[in-house]
Amino acid sequence: MKRLAAHCLLVFPKIIHKQFGKRYSWSSINIPSSATFRSCIWKMENQHDDNCCLFTPSIITLTVSAVLIAITRILYILCQSGKPLRPSKSPKPLSTLIVLGSGGHTAEMINVLNVLLQKDRFCPRFYVAAATDNMSLQKAHLLEENVFNLNGGKGGSTQFLQIYRSREVGQSYITSIGTTFLALVHALWLMIRIRPQVVLCNGPGTCVPLCVISFLFKMVGVRWSSVFYVESIARVRKLSLSGLLLYKLRIADQFFVQWPQLQKKYPRAHYVGCLMESKGGEECCFCEAVIA
C-alpha cells in the first residue's frame, strides 16, 4: 500500500498537467524525485519493523508471565488442598453449602449431618437441591427442625435453594446443551451469592458445577472453599461419574469412600466405613477427618 501511494504521488501531477495544460504549469508543482520517495518508504518500513519488534516480545512476555502465575497458583492450591479444617481456640462459624440429591443421596447426607450439626461450627447453612427435587428439601427442613429442638430452640441461619439440572433423565443430548448452559449460569449466580467456605456433597450431578466454580473462586482469590466429597455407599467397585471427575481433577479437598477396596484403587481417598449402618464410630471418624 505504501509503494502504491508513492507511485500515485509521482504520476498524479503529470495527469493534472496533461488534462489542464498551462493552467497548472509543470514547474509550479514541486514534485519529489523517485529516489526521495524510495528513501521515505524505506524509513517507514524500517520504523514499522522496529515497532513490531518492540511489540511482539511484550505480548510474549505478558503471556508467559500470565501462564506462570496461573501454574504457580494452581500448584499452591493443590498443596493447600486435602487438609482438614483446623480448629482454633475460638473457632468461627463456617458458611456451608450442602448439596442434596434425589433418593439415597439425600438419605446418606442427612445421616452424616445428624452428627456434623451437633457441632455448632457449620452455619449459616445453605441446602441446594435440583429444581425438580422437592423431597430432598422437605427432609432438610425436618432435619433443621430436629436440630432446633435438640439445641433448646437455638439454631443457625438456614436457607433452602434450588438449582437447574444440567440434564434430566431421558433428555436428549441436543437439548441438554441449552439446559447445561443454563445450569452453569444459575450455579455461578448461586455461588457468587453464597460464597461458601465449606461444600459438602455426596454424588448428585448437581454438585459438579458448584464444586468446579468453588475451585475457580480459589484460583482468582474470591473465596477459599473447602470441598468435602463422600462417595455413595452404593459405589462398591468404582466411583460415580461425579466422584471420578472431582477425584481426577483434584477439585475435592478431601475425598471419602465407604468401602476399603475403593480406597485401595484410589489411594488419595479416605476410608471412613459404612456411614449409613454405623452406630457412631465411623461417623466420629468422618467428623475427625473433616475437622482435625
Side-chain angles (χ1 to χ4, degrees), residues 8-56:
C8 291
L9 289 173
L10 286 171
V11 175
F12 187 65
K14 298 179 180 180
I15 296 174
I16 292 175
H17 180 74
K18 183 178 180 180
Q19 294 291 332
F20 298 98
K22 295 181 179 180
R23 291 175 58 186
Y24 296 93
S25 62
W26 181 262
S27 60
S28 64
I29 302 175
N30 186 15
I31 304 173
S33 63
S34 60
T36 305
F37 273 105
R38 292 193 188 95
S39 178
C40 292
I41 292 170
W42 181 81
K43 289 180 180 179
M44 292 173 66
E45 288 178 347
N46 286 344
Q47 184 179 4
H48 177 71
D49 293 340
D50 292 340
N51 291 335
C52 290
C53 292
L54 293 174
F55 183 72
T56 304

Side-chain angles (χ1 to χ4, degrees), residues 34-130:
S34 60
T36 305
F37 273 105
R38 292 193 188 95
S39 178
C40 292
I41 292 170
W42 181 81
K43 289 180 180 179
M44 292 173 66
E45 288 178 347
N46 286 344
Q47 184 179 4
H48 177 71
D49 293 340
D50 292 340
N51 291 335
C52 290
C53 292
L54 293 174
F55 183 72
T56 304
S58 63
I59 293 295
I60 295 174
T61 303
L62 290 175
T63 303
V64 172
S65 301
V67 171
L68 290 177
I69 292 173
I71 293 175
T72 304
R73 180 66 178 173
I74 291 174
L75 292 176
Y76 173 77
I77 291 173
L78 294 179
C79 291
Q80 293 297 318
S81 300
K83 297 180 180 180
L85 302 174
R86 300 294 181 183
S88 58
K89 294 181 180 179
S90 57
K92 296 181 180 180
L94 301 172
S95 61
T96 304
L97 175 66
I98 303 167
V99 186
L100 303 176
S102 58
H105 292 295
T106 297
E108 292 183 32
M109 181 59 71
I110 295 297
N111 196 58
V112 171
L113 292 175
N114 281 324
V115 178
L116 282 181
L117 298 187
Q118 294 178 6
K119 302 177 181 293
D120 192 18
R121 181 95 187 266
F122 301 96
C123 62
R125 293 182 288 275
F126 302 88
Y127 293 88
V128 176

